[in-house]
Amino acid sequence: MRTRPAEFAETDILRLAAELSAAARPFALGIVVDVRGSSSGRVGAKALFDVEGEVIAGWVGGGRAEATVAHAAVEACASGTPQLVDVDLDSEVLGAGMPCGGWMRIYVEPVLPRPALWILGHGRVAECLCHFGALLGFAVIVDDVMARPERFPEASRIVTDDPAYATVAPAEGDFAVVATQHRGDHESLGLLLASEVGHIALIASRKRAGLVLSHLRKAGFGPQALGRIRAPAGLALGAGTPEEIALSVIAEIVLVRRSRADRRAEARAVGVLVAAPGEMWPPFVLAAAEPLRIVGE
């Protein structure tokens, strides 16, 4: 059966996808990439799905085929990993319950907002963190009264009129690094703990980190809240220079970020020790990168 190109007179899917991306709304794009035999879907047909699997716009095939793709869209958005979905239209028992006599393959691509990397501080370590963060795809926000644009050319935003860090508002999926060189680090950590941010890194010596955590405990922060803080921050690389310290901190952030994304993946893992936050921390588990998954194989 010769495939026919999809028509998009009613909805410009790609334009809508661009608008959703600009609005920082997570979604998945499904594209029919192959069709064999009799199928309602056509090569090139597209649909957008939200993180709960609801169709935003478009169409890739009706009935259970759409439900199968919607399930893959939910998984793709949760893991950040694209998927190839094989839908068997030939069998009600083993396939999708649509005995059309055909088969189709849909590529599902998650489109997720860039996480922000909030850097509180202005020194050399902060400068290197900004460079590494931008290089790794973070939207870097530097907040410090002494931050200068020429020192942070890759920052998405620089805030210099917020000495008390009152406007710092990271989202749950963002990352925050306190590199204030002991200048009000316990106050800034308290503000970050009041936000939704899941990962907070404090750049400090082990002794200083212990003092700050002790102060926060006395201020009423419990183990669950303090568990969000990595102090002293960074993987245990034996870092000595500002550049190496920044590398160890950003490496830990990448580890946490990818561990979140791969939490559903089957782990062929190795243990990686992380610098302790004043107490003993269990090793992080670094999951192997998950290859493009083909649903149905």
Side-chain angles (χ1 to χ4, degrees):
M1 176 180 177
R2 187 171 63 88
T3 58
R4 297 172 295 169
E7 299 174 2
F8 307 109
E10 68 281 2
T11 306
D12 190 333
I13 297 296
L14 297 181
R15 182 180 292 116
L16 178 56
E19 292 173 357
L20 293 172
S21 182
R25 279 188 58 187
F27 64 95
L29 170 65
I31 305 176
V32 179
V33 295
D34 196 5
V35 173
R36 299 174 190 174
S38 176
S39 170
S40 57
R42 293 170 291 170
V43 171
K46 301 177 180 66
L48 303 179
F49 297 82
D50 66 18
V51 294
E52 296 180 351
E54 295 293 327
V55 177
I56 300 173
W59 192 78
V60 291
R64 295 286 297 278
E66 182 177 284
T68 303
V69 178
H71 179 74
V74 171
E75 288 192 350
C77 287
S79 67
T81 303
Q83 297 192 21
L84 279 175
V85 181
D86 288 346
V87 181
D88 180 6
L89 308 178
D90 209 19
S91 170
E92 290 190 51
V93 178
L94 298 178
M98 295 166 46
C100 299
W103 170 93
M104 60 192 299
R105 172 169 286 184
I106 302 97
Y107 174 71
V108 181
E109 172 76 24
V111 182
L112 307 174
R114 285 198 301 163
L117 174 62
W118 293 73
I119 301 174
L120 280 57
H122 69 278
R124 180 58 182 163
V125 174
E127 294 171 6
C128 294
L129 278 171
C130 180
H131 172 68
F132 289 143
L135 191 65
L136 292 168
F138 291 91
V140 181
I141 303 171
V142 179
D143 189 323
D144 194 274
V145 294
M146 298 183 68
R148 298 291 177 263
E150 62 271 18
R151 306 300 299 180
F152 298 93
E154 296 162 297
S156 299
R157 180 155 59 100
I158 300 176
V159 181
T160 59
D161 58 352
D162 184 28
Y165 303 113
T167 64
V168 174
E172 182 179 359
D174 292 345
F175 297 82
V177 180
V178 177
T180 53
Q181 303 174 59
H182 302 178
R183 182 177 54 84
D185 43 14
H186 54 286
E187 289 93 346
S188 56
L189 284 170
L191 291 171
L192 289 170
L193 287 173
S195 73
E196 296 181 349
V197 66
H199 180 92
I200 305 168
L202 171 64
I203 297 178
S205 66
R206 190 175 297 276
K207 180 179 179 180
R208 175 65 183 179
L211 291 173
V212 172
L213 291 173
S214 177
H215 175 87
L216 292 172
R217 288 191 191 94
K218 292 177 182 178
F221 291 100
Q224 185 174 0
L226 296 180
R228 295 160 58 195
I229 302 175
R230 308 295 187 218
L235 297 183
L237 304 180
T241 67
E243 294 80 5
E244 291 172 346
I245 293 171
L247 176 63
S248 73
V249 172
I250 201 69
E252 181 181 42
I253 288 173
V254 171
L255 174 60
V256 172
R257 181 185 181 189
R258 294 308 177 191
S259 294
R260 289 177 183 172
D262 293 339
R263 64 186 179 276
R264 295 174 184 246
E266 181 177 340
R268 296 189 304 273
V270 295
V272 180
L273 292 177
V274 181
E279 301 174 333
M280 181 61 66
W281 277 81
F284 268 95
V285 175
L286 177 59
E290 182 178 341
L292 183 67
R293 179 183 174 194
I294 301 180
V295 179
E297 287 193 346

